[in-house]
Amino acid sequence: QMSFEKAVQVYPRYAAGWYELGRVQEATNQLDAARSSFNESVKADSKYVPPYIQISILELNARNWQALADVSERATGLDPFNYPQAFFFNAVANYNLHKLDTAEESARRAQKLDTRHQIPQVSHLLGVILADRREYTAAAEQLRDYLQFSPGAQDAAAVRTQLQDLEKLATPAAAQ
């Protein structure tokens, strides 16, 4: 931590230095200091995406949905190809802000970019969005994907129950 503090004192426009300082502060649960360092990183270089991702994580954990929507939108605007997690964060924020169209669009972008399925929660969220829209068959498919990509998830049992409920709802719809 000391070396990063010295680096940004010597060169205050060192965006990567502020970012790394923020990471160290975040790891030691100095969340206000971390947020400040990430914001300094953005001030030093507004096109450097990593601090936006870390700010998104802070906003997600704090459940600051509008702030999360704003910062993740900035990140996706800067680099719409290399940060699927930014689209996922944006989808979570917009879902919680009851903006289902935007949430679904962001979730689908995250899913498309996450070719190695490193963020299986995208499928779960998309399943929930589709279930809210009464698209039960498509929602069930997303939950099956989530369970396939993350079989040992803490919420796997609850998701299996959701899936069973959706399959019951989808069956009458398919029969009609």
Side-chain angles (χ1 to χ4, degrees):
Q1 182 171 336
M2 296 289 273
S3 59
F4 291 123
E5 288 173 348
K6 285 182 183 177
V8 296
Q9 279 179 341
V10 171
Y11 184 55
R13 297 199 38 85
Y14 183 29
W18 282 112
Y19 169 74
E20 293 300 338
L21 176 59
R23 295 278 305 218
V24 171
Q25 292 164 327
E26 184 180 28
T28 56
N29 214 28
Q30 302 171 53
L31 301 183
D32 290 338
R35 181 184 301 277
S36 178
S37 293
F38 294 138
N39 283 326
E40 288 297 323
S41 178
V42 167
K43 271 201 273 185
D45 183 354
S46 62
K47 292 184 170 126
Y48 183 50
V49 177
Y52 292 103
I53 301 300
Q54 293 309 124
I55 294 168
S56 293
I57 293 168
L58 294 174
E59 300 299 4
L60 175 70
N61 291 334
R63 298 177 176 268
N64 294 331
W65 305 129
Q66 188 58 58
L68 177 58
D70 295 342
V71 73
S72 59
E73 186 174 329
R74 280 196 297 276
T76 61
L78 288 171
D79 186 340
F81 303 107
N82 294 308
Y83 294 92
Q85 66 271 44
F87 284 102
F88 172 65
F89 295 145
N90 191 264
V92 170
N94 281 293
Y95 178 77
N96 283 287
L97 293 169
H98 309 289
K99 298 177 180 176
L100 291 185
D101 289 343
T102 305
E104 181 180 354
E105 182 181 323
S106 289
R108 290 192 186 281
R109 291 283 304 272
Q111 204 170 48
K112 184 177 180 181
L113 292 173
D114 184 27
T115 57
R116 294 184 303 190
H117 310 292
Q118 294 181 310
I119 314 169
Q121 302 89 335
V122 174
S123 296
H124 185 218
L125 177 59
L126 194 49
V128 170
I129 292 168
L130 293 169
D132 285 355
R133 294 200 158 144
R134 295 185 167 88
E135 297 176 30
Y136 303 123
T137 303
E141 182 180 321
Q142 291 296 327
L143 294 189
R144 278 192 288 278
D145 285 349
Y146 172 67
L147 291 170
Q148 176 189 342
F149 301 134
S150 189
Q154 285 186 323
D155 62 351
V159 173
R160 281 187 198 90
T161 302
Q162 282 179 309
L163 178 57
Q164 289 172 346
D165 294 343
L166 286 172
E167 287 171 338
K168 288 175 192 167
L169 291 168
T171 305
Q176 288 177 355

